[in-house]
Amino acid sequence: MLKMPELLNHFDVHQHIWCVDKERDYWLFNCGFLINNDSISGYAEPSNEEAFILHVNGQHIVFILAHHGMEATDLYPIHFSYELVSMSPSSLPNMSRESLLNILKDAI
């Protein structure tokens, strides 16, 4: 049974987007956009960076991804584009960085 961290059990958290793969025993949680306190307006505003928590092999990996908007194509009505900003930790004892990035891609 996959167990969510205590802080992720709050009612408000379950309204956000997250994905569970019970067969491979991992989950991905989209924490939402990071806040930019140095915006042009002088007020705190959402940035183009989103935080994700990936739970694999009993450990959490925090990904920060830059969101580059959505665009419509003939094949897909909406296309999401992300760029990896940071990843912590960058690997696990039994899993390489590339493997973790592949899991992240599959979950997104």
Side-chain angles (χ1 to χ4, degrees), residues 34-96:
L34 301 179
I35 299 299
N36 178 6
N37 289 316
D38 298 324
S39 67
I40 296 171
S41 69
Y43 297 100
E45 296 178 0
S47 71
N48 71 328
E49 295 179 353
E50 290 184 74
F52 291 84
I53 298 172
L54 178 66
H55 176 84
V56 177
N57 295 339
Q59 295 187 358
H60 303 305
I61 298 93
V62 177
F63 290 93
I64 304 298
L65 304 177
H67 185 267
H68 294 292
M70 300 179 289
E71 61 183 58
T73 66
D74 291 339
L75 297 175
Y76 302 100
I78 297 176
H79 178 75
F80 294 91
S81 174
Y82 290 103
E83 178 184 349
L84 180 65
V85 174
S86 69
M87 174 180 175
S88 178
S90 60
S91 64
L92 296 178
N94 302 4
M95 198 168 285
S96 69

